[in-house]
Amino acid sequence: MAAGNVNPFNVSDSEEEAEQRQDGADTERSPSDEAQGHSLGPFSPPAYSDPAALLSSNRTSPSVDGIPASAAAVSGIGAETRVSLDAIAAQLLRDQYILTALELHTELLEAGRELPRLRDYFSNPGNFERQSGTPPACKEQGVGPGGPLNRAGSISTLDSLDFARYSDDGNRESDERVAVLEFELRKAKETIQALRANLTQAAECEIASQERKNYKSSPETQEPIRPLEKRALNFLVNEYLLKNEYKLTSITFSDENDDQDFELWDDVGLNIPKPPDLLQLYRNCGNSQPLHRDNVDVAVSVDPSDLPGDYFTQEPVQQTDVIQQQQQQEVVQELEYQISLLNSEKQSLAEQIKKLQSDIQALQRNVSSEPTAGVKSTPSKENPKCDKPPLDNGQYLDIRGVTETDSSSDTTKTSTSTTIATDCTENSTTATQPHSKLKANGQQSKSSVQFDQPNRKLSPAFHQALLSFCRMSADSRLGSEVSRIADSEQSVMLMLGRCLPHIVPNVLLAKREELIPLILCTACLHPEPKERDQLLHILFNLIKRPDDEQRQMILTGCVAFAQHVGPTRVEAELLPQCWEQINHKYPERRLLVAEACGALAPYLPKEIRSSLVLSMLQQMLADDKADMVREAVVKSLGVIMGYIDDPDKYSQGFELMLLSLGDPSERVVSATHQVFIPAFAAWCTELGNLQSQLIPSLLTRIEKLLKGEYGLDEHKLHMYLSALQSLIPSLFAVLLQNAPFTSRVKLQGDVPPIEVTRFPRPASPLQDVATIVGSREQLAVLLHLYDHQLQHEGTTGWDSLLWVVNQFLPQIIDIVGRINVTSSTCVHEFSRFFWRLCRTFGKIFTNTKVKPQFQEILRLSEENVDATAGNGILTKATVPIYATGVLTCYNQEEDRKLLVGFLEDVMTTLSLSHAPLDSLKASFVELGANPAYHELLLTVLWYGVVHTSALVRCTAARMFELLVKGVNETLVAQRVVPALITLSSDPEISVRISTIPAFGTIMETVTQKELLERVKMQLASFLEDPQYQDQHSLHMEIIKTFGRVGPNAEPRFRDEFVLPHLHKLALCNNQQTVESKRIDIATQLFEAYSALSCCFISEELMVNHFLPGLRCLRTDMEQLSPEHEVILSSMIKECEIKVENKAIGEAQGSISIAASLVGEDAKTKFLSKMGQLTTSGAMLANVFQRKK
């Protein structure tokens, strides 16, 4: 036969058939049958038309599952007998007609008549594993190992078979087969691992043997669900959700069971057949499955003679539906009879048990009447299990088995305890109390509770039946717990461990924190580690998104737990709960983890603190996206730094500090300064690294920033400098603690208290020097000795102070001289740093150690001024930082005089040396931000106004421009304007010109009309006085000032003064003969007009002044700067279009007004017409009808 006619599924005949063919025990197939069987296509059904003929085929084995072939042949003769579907399925599977069997299975599924045989077969992947050797079918037909089926089969079900792999191109390269085999081997190993995990989990979930006995004694009580059952139910539920379009619920369900693959049934368990879906199970739940006579398993002693004679020999193929029903009824009747026998036997055994119980109670009464010594007799050692009852049930009073007899008191025992008591009674010399196992902490067992018995002669069975009407239920889980009363602390813990997981989900979210004490107490005292882990898991998952108060409650509970159980259990039980929630989707839960790491730090082993917990927090700081979580992480890191004692972790702590300082969130940076840096500095102080490593490292990084090729990164400079500023209190504490007078420190009552303003306000209690030193009283003593040491005894031998004076201060002052003086941010940062440093170290230190170093560098004297080159250091940022950071620390009269003198000297020195005024301007800007220094600055400027040198007066005039914006209008009117008017009449024209920017700033910022008029008159005098007509510099300064203040000035001033005078200046510039002056004026006019073009300009001004001025300017630019001319032309065109649009808009507006008036008239007439109508509403429609 051709290879193409071979059925691709017909490659795994059974070994029995192979042996039968080899041994010749089976009848050879006839050539006609063989030809008929193989002449069909590979997927065609068999050629047998009659089912009986199919079953009697010579290819089949002598019996089908134990059914004789002769019987099958006889059954084919009967006209009305039908072949059972199960027999057909069995024959198809045996003959390897897999496709036909699959089609039959599918049709039966659709009809709701699923066959267990086919279901089990197609659900078992082992049925489709390929054999390594060549199957007999291939041998018969000449298909060798190199035939079309030489590829290895994978572990898969029939649904996942790839039919393309059996095509003609099956001869793949060896490396492809190796890759496929490697993949399948890996998947097989994964399956094995999963199965091992399932087995382990199933073994762990095995309940105690005693509880199993309880479950057997009450069959209605359900056992706990096993892992395999749970996975199967999960699969069916997910399948139901998907089929019924509950997709979102299915996704959520899959997420909650992320350890299970819902796309593959084999993930439930290997070789476990897939049950029907939930709908099919629900429909069949009330119908018993039909009995399969080929799998009879009867567990009762049935006499075979009572059953039908052919019960075990009849085949399903021979039976009709009527015979099957009759036989099933007979079997049911027989089983019911056996059940009745067993029930009667059960009742007799129950009566025997009750009799034994009454005997035991009689013995107990006899024992209780004997002396006490008899009660203390110990049980016999022959039965050691009587001494050690089970851990759980042995500590409970069970009220489920209530029995009453005439001669004994009621006892409350389970059936298990009854059995044990009976065994103990038989094996002991002296009978013990029935509740002798209810012992707490080794105390002597209590005597049983006695109840008054009625003098009645009712049978125990009648008593039991009578009490059954009291409707007590112990069959459910809750009923079982209620019926067992705990009698010791341990049994209470066990009961709470079982009940809390069921209580928590049913408590309102807003009130779940009330359960925290109960959960923690149980988790502390429960003897089972697995139950403790479950309870702590409940604690951390108690609230979906815990708020601030709820997190505090949980953290308080965790700390109490840690204090109770010790570091080992905290590491083993609490830390894993934190680790599990480190990547939780809710930030509140991650916040709880971050806060817990800090709260638990004191109670963890030191190795864990510096390794695992530190790594957890570092990961959260780097990866978490929520600002509040990173803030909590930084605070917890600060707590860790307070407990860490591994010097090797210093570098990691330094990197964490830099990472926290560079965080984009302001609240994280604030937490770093408040908590982390003080804690890290305290650790560095203990290590001796504060002055030797931490501060020098920050200074080195600042110096590298100043040497950067791409300019100064002001953000990083702020980051490093703010860290240095936060380290100042710790540095001062080091000086005090390592001072020569430390040994003389004694707490005395006569020490003056610390002034309230002695130290700058700390950012947090950790930056308070009193907190670092120990107490405010201790700090007061140290400060008293510190000031005395500096003032009288000197600094000899004071290494920590000498380091500050000789290394730290010179280096930071050198850095100050290299920053950009025009950067107001840098000046402000260093100014605040020196201010805090001087205030912390005190006035004596500032006057004797800090100021001399600055004064040595600045050398403020006019004799040393080089009039040509200027004094370089006075142009650096050292001047404003010394003035605003050092000289403003203390605000007494001598300090203010020193500041005024310094600023006057700097102004004079810079003016006389023709040096840039940037450093003086920076000082005025920084000091002008504080209104307390406005009077002082005006005093300095008045010194410049009355100075003999015109250069100094010019400088004073220009400084007024900086001061006007921050000074209130009263000072402007009383101090600034009089000084400017004085300067505007100065003999030197340069001084007068220098006042113009200040006058412009006043016009921009002041609102008093009288003041504005005075300034306006002064500016008009500059423009209209004939003596200034040829003053090119004055015109340049005025135009520049107009362009700067025009957009922000009062509109009236702009319209009536600025625009007309700009027009005049542009017109005059057309007649300018000096080309250089002409281009200068034209350039300034272009800038001014560009700035003013954005303002609202009325049509009249646009036509009379703005456009004519632009045209005059364009005339100049056509000759001097063609590129500016193009821009001017477009500006002129835009202005002309605006004017035209305004005219058109006004015309349209007048038309619309006329139209609206006509419309109003028509509306009035219509309403008056409507008002005259007195007819009914039905006639109202006639008003709107068209006349015919």
Side-chain angles (χ1 to χ4, degrees), residues 776-849:
R776 200 162 183 83
E777 294 77 13
Q778 180 87 0
L779 179 60
V781 176
L782 289 172
L783 284 178
H784 178 71
L785 296 173
Y786 167 77
D787 292 338
H788 183 270
Q789 182 83 19
L790 286 177
Q791 200 165 8
H792 302 289
E793 300 181 16
T795 59
T796 305
W798 199 347
D799 294 335
S800 55
L801 182 68
L802 292 175
W803 178 86
V804 174
V805 174
N806 299 329
Q807 296 185 36
F808 178 65
L809 278 177
Q811 188 175 1
I812 197 72
I813 292 173
D814 177 65
I815 290 172
V816 163
R818 289 152 54 190
I819 67 173
N820 185 8
V821 69
T822 60
S823 173
S824 59
T825 304
C826 296
V827 172
H828 178 74
E829 292 291 340
F830 276 98
S831 172
R832 302 311 299 164
F833 172 78
F834 272 98
W835 185 88
R836 186 170 288 272
L837 177 73
C838 295
R839 287 299 300 268
T840 303
F841 279 73
K843 190 171 185 178
I844 298 174
F845 180 88
T846 303
N847 292 333
T848 59
K849 306 299 179 184

Side-chain angles (χ1 to χ4, degrees), residues 732-766:
F732 184 64
V734 170
L735 263 65
L736 295 179
Q737 292 167 349
N738 296 328
F741 52 77
T742 307
S743 59
R744 305 198 304 269
V745 174
K746 291 182 180 179
L747 294 178
Q748 300 173 356
D750 56 349
V751 177
I754 304 172
E755 296 179 6
V756 177
T757 58
R758 171 61 180 82
F759 292 100
R761 180 177 297 176
S764 75
L766 297 177

Side-chain angles (χ1 to χ4, degrees), residues 160 216 264 272 349 365 447 473 493 524 554 698 927 974:
S160 61
K216 290 179 181 179
L264 185 63
I272 301 299
L349 291 174
R365 285 196 300 274
S447 60
S473 173
M493 291 302 107
C524 283
I554 295 175
L698 292 172
L927 290 171
Q974 295 176 358

Side-chain angles (χ1 to χ4, degrees), residues 77-91:
I77 301 173
E80 63 263 355
T81 58
R82 294 191 305 170
V83 179
S84 72
L85 292 173
D86 188 72
I88 296 175
Q91 188 64 31

Side-chain angles (χ1 to χ4, degrees), residues 1058-1072:
V1058 175
L1059 290 176
H1061 283 92
L1062 283 178
H1063 179 202
K1064 290 179 183 179
L1065 290 170
L1067 192 60
C1068 294
N1069 198 47
N1070 289 148
Q1071 284 81 37
Q1072 179 62 254

Side-chain angles (χ1 to χ4, degrees), residues 104-352:
L104 176 62
H105 178 53
T106 304
E107 291 180 351
L108 290 174
L109 274 178
E110 293 175 353
R113 301 169 57 193
E114 182 182 32
L115 281 179
R117 183 188 299 276
L118 293 177
R119 180 193 65 205
D120 296 345
Y121 184 84
F122 288 113
S123 300
N124 187 357
N127 293 328
F128 304 99
E129 296 179 359
R130 307 300 302 272
Q131 302 297 329
S132 58
T134 305
C138 296
K139 290 180 181 180
E140 288 181 8
Q141 301 176 19
V143 181
L149 296 178
N150 56 353
R151 294 199 52 189
S154 63
I155 301 175
S156 60
T157 61
L158 186 62
D159 296 335
S160 61
L161 285 175
D162 185 4
F163 291 98
R165 61 195 290 181
Y166 300 107
S167 61
D168 294 333
D169 61 346
N171 292 318
R172 304 290 179 87
E173 297 295 333
S174 60
D175 55 349
E176 294 181 4
R177 291 199 298 273
V178 170
V180 172
L181 290 172
E182 288 176 350
F183 171 76
E184 293 170 350
L185 178 61
R186 187 168 66 253
K187 295 297 288 184
K189 288 181 178 179
E190 291 176 359
T191 303
I192 292 171
Q193 292 296 331
L195 288 172
R196 288 176 177 173
N198 288 344
L199 288 174
T200 304
Q201 191 174 4
E204 290 176 353
C205 292
E206 285 292 333
I207 60 175
S209 59
Q210 190 64 38
E211 292 187 358
R212 285 194 175 277
K213 291 181 180 179
N214 291 340
Y215 287 128
K216 290 179 181 179
S217 63
S218 56
E220 297 178 1
T221 303
Q222 293 185 356
E223 296 186 15
I225 188 170
R226 297 188 179 92
L228 184 63
E229 296 171 341
K230 180 180 178 182
R231 295 170 70 86
L233 289 175
N234 286 348
F235 186 90
L236 293 176
V237 169
N238 186 72
E239 182 184 43
Y240 168 77
L241 293 174
L242 286 176
K243 284 183 178 180
N244 292 275
E245 300 298 328
Y246 297 114
K247 294 183 179 179
L248 289 178
T249 308
S250 173
I251 293 172
T252 306
F253 188 72
S254 301
D255 290 341
E256 293 176 346
N257 298 276
D258 53 358
D259 58 340
Q260 185 172 351
D261 183 6
F262 287 108
E263 296 181 359
L264 185 63
W265 168 256
D266 289 340
D267 183 66
V268 174
L270 192 63
N271 295 338
I272 301 299
K274 180 179 176 298
D277 57 17
L278 285 182
L279 180 61
Q280 205 64 26
L281 289 174
Y282 173 74
R283 289 174 175 172
N284 297 334
C285 64
N287 303 326
S288 59
Q289 294 291 335
L291 294 175
H292 300 289
R293 301 305 174 83
D294 50 343
N295 290 319
V296 172
D297 186 10
V298 180
V300 295
S301 56
V302 182
D303 189 359
S305 60
D306 296 335
L307 297 174
D310 56 350
Y311 180 75
F312 293 105
T313 57
Q314 269 191 336
E315 300 177 12
V317 182
Q318 299 173 304
Q319 295 172 353
T320 63
D321 293 341
V322 177
I323 297 174
Q324 287 181 351
Q325 292 176 2
Q326 292 177 353
Q327 293 179 348
Q328 289 171 5
Q329 291 174 358
E330 293 174 357
V331 172
V332 168
Q333 293 174 358
E334 180 63 29
L335 292 177
E336 289 176 350
Y337 174 71
Q338 295 293 335
I339 289 172
S340 63
L341 293 178
L342 291 174
N343 285 335
S344 60
E345 185 179 357
K346 175 184 173 183
Q347 291 178 358
S348 63
L349 291 174
E351 291 177 357
Q352 293 178 11

